[in-house]
Amino acid sequence: MNIIVCIKQVPDTGSVKIDPTTNTLIRSGVPSIINPFDLNAVEAGLSLKDEYGGRVNVITMGPPQAEEALRNTIAMGADNACLLSDRAFAGADTLATSYTLSMAVKKIGDFDLILCGKQAIDGDTAQVGPELAEILGIPQVTNVSKLIEVKETTIVVEKELEDGCEIVEVERPCLLTVTKQVNNPRIPSLKNSMRAKKAEIPVWKAADIDADEARIGLKGSATQVVKIFEPLKRTDSRILQGDVDEMMTELVGELRKRV
Amino acid sequence: MNYFLTEEQQMIKDLAAKIAVEKAVPLVAELDEKEEFPWEVMKTLASSDLFGVYLPEEYGGFGGGVFELCLVTEELSKVCCGMGVCYAASALGTLPILLFGNDAQKQKYLPDIAAGKKLAAFGLTEANAGSDAGAVATTAVRDGESYVLNGTKQWITNAGEAEVYTVIALTDKSKGIRGASVFIVEKDTPGFTFGKKEKKMGIRCSATRELIFQDCRIPKENIIGREGMGFIVAMKTLDRARPGVASQGVGLAQGALDHATRYSRERVQFGQAISSFQAIQHMLADMAAQTEAARALTYAAARMIDSGDDNISREAAMSKLFATDVCMRVTTDAVQIFGGYGYMREYPVEKMMRDAKILQIYEGTNQIQRNVIGLALIKESAKKK
Ligand SMILES: Cc1cc2nc3c(=O)[nH]c(=O)nc-3n(C[C@H](O)[C@H](O)[C@H](O)COP(=O)(O)OP(=O)(O)OC[C@H]3O[C@@H](n4cnc5c(N)ncnc54)[C@H](O)[C@@H]3O)c2cc1C
Ligand SMILES: Cc1cc2nc3c(=O)[nH]c(=O)nc-3n(C[C@H](O)[C@H](O)[C@H](O)COP(=O)(O)OP(=O)(O)OC[C@H]3O[C@@H](n4cnc5c(N)ncnc54)[C@H](O)[C@@H]3O)c2cc1C
């Protein structure tokens, strides 16, 4: 089974702050990590490979530093990785990103399965996976929490819904986005870590993937972020203390005042 | 401090640290409480190739030595000394094969051990043969194509969990310890069973049991070296394993120091963090300096062994003695810095202090280490005259 995994390098959660004057993320000094759900996608690819054979190819679009993230996936056991990096890709929204990824997937060619994390923890849109499937014209299942069975031409998976689970059988080639429930990402091995250190990671520019200039980067983006801001912290909240009956009376009184 | 690790050594250390933090930490308190073997962590160490770091490449290892073994042991012991010993004791059980085994024995056993598919254990101690290893009474009698083992080994780490056992037994009782030999015994050999699991003060996730041999018949090919070489094999093995125990001490001390430092900044008494009291700062300073000195000595001893030097008993003993005495002091002081909280099982340093004590006892008590060092000093001085 030939598998392509799309990953994203993101700033480590918890350490990101927003600059109140420019309303942009303060990225300097914040360590980068692989988007946690993407680690589950890599693990899903590797465990399918362990069971059914094949190859796992990891791709990411990002700045040159994103190469580090790709090396980490090779250390986990991925066979190949390539970096889509070009100034022309800068400023891409989810639409331009998924178009760019789709062109890389076409260049790689032969594949049975594309795996993505369910969403990136920085943008939180959960759009790139579904858009990529649409552009490629292949079926998709999002929020996959379990890989159940690989059949001759299909794969059976469990998908998380808000209030339950759904079991879906889907034709391959297809695209799955996975949640944390799907597996526990493995720790790298020493042998693969050594391989990762030495691995050649090709860098593909727009021209290498025959990308249409009008559909990549800022130009190819249908949306634009106007402003990012932290929601205002409410300062008028109060914690009631004391006897339950007293607190109830006070609470009801407060609520009455406001209606 | 910078110990100028090679890129590969740094990679080993980082991997071990990652496993310790991500896989081991969540299990430490539970496995201690339940006295349960840390199989999950052992399996992760295996799939990450860390059981082979000290074994030659031709047997599936990474080609490192005692130093690499110490790096992994230290990182594990930082979070759980019990897990550290499960790992290190497997190496202890493997060293006799690595050092004195023939090629067939190495081919047969080392690849599975390097891959972490099999753990090993080392069986020397008996009820009446502790510090006085020469008093072993287990016998191995040659009978045609076999040796037949009888006797009981006591307090053997990894017993019951390991697949491969290196066992010291007498092939010639009349010669005492000069008549001892070392054998490889596989788990599930008829006549080979285990005693009950001991209930211990510390390192409670590790398994400590008896090895019981009752007319246990093993192929004669399983002797390591020749008959009568047993004592030499055991002593050379222990020499090379001692920096491993030292690195359990270094790791455990470092872990306790890290907890104590963090806690001292959080705990407020008299209106300020207790870290603002010089009494606390001085305690932390002594703990840090001693731990670093222990690490430096341990690394130096390990590197000396890996250089191929054969005259290493004294340095190996020094590293074990110093690092484990430091560890006992540092973990005790960590409890002190935690105050009453340090005495409670909800906080990690209580276990660390319990774990530390064994390091001064096993693989040769610290009194025995002093005997080794003292004897080496006197011998050397006598030679100079
Ligand atoms: C948890 C645990 C795990 C172990 N794992 C293993 C294992 O995997 N394999 C194995 O073979 N053994 C193992 N042992 C055994 C361990 O190595 C012995 O306990 C140790 O060597 C000390 O022997 P002993 O307990 O009989 O103490 P003893 O020898 O009875 O010593 C008692 C006291 O007398 C002192 N003493 C003895 N002789 C002298 C002397 N000549 N000079 C000064 N002081 C002396 C000692 O230092 C000690 O303080 C383990 C023990 C424990 C508790
Ligand atoms: C098993 C147990 C039973 C107990 N029983 C009782 C009981 O029956 N009744 C009762 O009232 N209490 C009891 N205690 C509480 C005990 O008296 C306190 O734990 C003890 O006074 C220390 O306080 P602490 O634990 O808050 O440590 P902390 O005061 O937080 O001390 C932490 C560390 O900081 C150091 N430190 C603090 N202040 C200073 C300073 N100014 N200068 C230098 N160093 C400083 C301490 O020496 C210690 O090393 C018990 C505690 C335990 C663990």
Side-chain angles (χ1 to χ4, degrees), chain B residues 267 269-270 274 277 279-280 336-341 343-344:
Chain B
R267 174 66 170 169
Q269 288 290 275
F270 303 101
I274 60 167
F277 303 132
I280 297 285
Q336 190 63 23
I337 289 174
F338 270 72
Y341 296 97
Y343 200 74
M344 301 298 160

Side-chain angles (χ1 to χ4, degrees), chain B residues 145-358:
Chain B
E145 293 299 292
S146 319
Y147 282 99
V148 179
L149 271 62
N150 275 291
T152 300
K153 295 289 167 182
Q154 174 173 275
W155 300 335
I156 306 308
T157 304
N158 284 349
E161 313 294 333
E163 302 285 331
V164 181
Y165 295 79
T166 43
V167 176
I168 288 80
L170 298 178
T171 36
D172 186 348
K173 266 203 261 186
S174 68
K175 289 191 188 152
I177 196 59
R178 303 285 151 216
S181 308
V182 183
F183 298 92
I184 304 170
V185 186
E186 294 180 28
K187 192 181 182 178
D188 297 329
T189 304
F192 175 25
T193 54
F194 304 101
K196 67 170 189 344
K197 218 168 147 176
E198 301 291 347
K199 298 223 165 254
K200 304 191 293 288
M201 172 195 269
I203 57 163
R204 287 163 41 132
C205 72
S206 74
T208 314
R209 295 170 72 173
E210 286 172 345
L211 312 180
I212 302 166
F213 301 102
Q214 290 164 305
D215 294 328
C216 172
R217 191 172 282 273
I218 57 170
K220 72 174 199 311
E221 290 74 35
N222 284 20
I223 189 167
I224 295 178
R226 293 184 316 276
E227 281 190 18
M229 272 179 73
F231 195 64
I232 293 285
V233 174
M235 290 307 123
K236 297 236 174 210
T237 292
L238 289 169
D239 276 349
R240 277 155 188 79
R242 277 177 183 143
V245 185
S247 56
Q248 287 175 46
V250 172
L252 179 51
Q254 185 67 52
L257 170 62
D258 292 345
H259 280 299
T261 310
R262 238 184 345 259
Y263 180 82
S264 73
R265 295 173 54 232
E266 289 160 7
R267 174 66 170 169
V268 173
Q269 288 290 275
F270 303 101
Q272 51 202 309
I274 60 167
S275 62
S276 65
F277 303 132
Q278 207 172 50
I280 297 285
Q281 290 170 14
H282 283 189
M283 221 191 288
L284 289 170
D286 284 341
M287 291 157 78
Q290 290 175 37
T291 304
E292 203 61 69
R295 182 179 288 119
L297 181 55
T298 302
Y299 287 3
R303 283 173 163 156
M304 188 176 166
I305 293 172
D306 291 340
S307 76
D309 199 325
D310 201 38
N311 199 8
I312 50 155
S313 297
R314 177 175 63 171
E315 287 74 11
M318 282 177 171
S319 70
K320 195 273 183 183
L321 165 68
F322 186 75
T324 61
D325 278 356
V326 160
C327 180
M328 195 67 244
R329 274 199 300 275
V330 168
T331 52
T332 306
D333 285 349
V335 171
Q336 190 63 23
I337 289 174
F338 270 72
Y341 296 97
Y343 200 74
M344 301 298 160
R345 290 216 192 153
E346 284 146 81
Y347 289 80
V349 290
E350 176 268 345
K351 169 183 182 289
M352 293 179 135
M353 184 174 162
R354 280 191 282 114
D355 284 356
K357 188 62 211 175
I358 189 60

Side-chain angles (χ1 to χ4, degrees), chain B residues 122 124-125 130-131 155-157 358 361-363 365 367 371:
Chain B
F122 180 71
L124 170 62
T125 305
S131 298
W155 300 335
I156 306 308
T157 304
I358 189 60
I361 298 172
Y362 64 24
E363 290 196 34
T365 67
Q367 286 72 32
N371 291 355

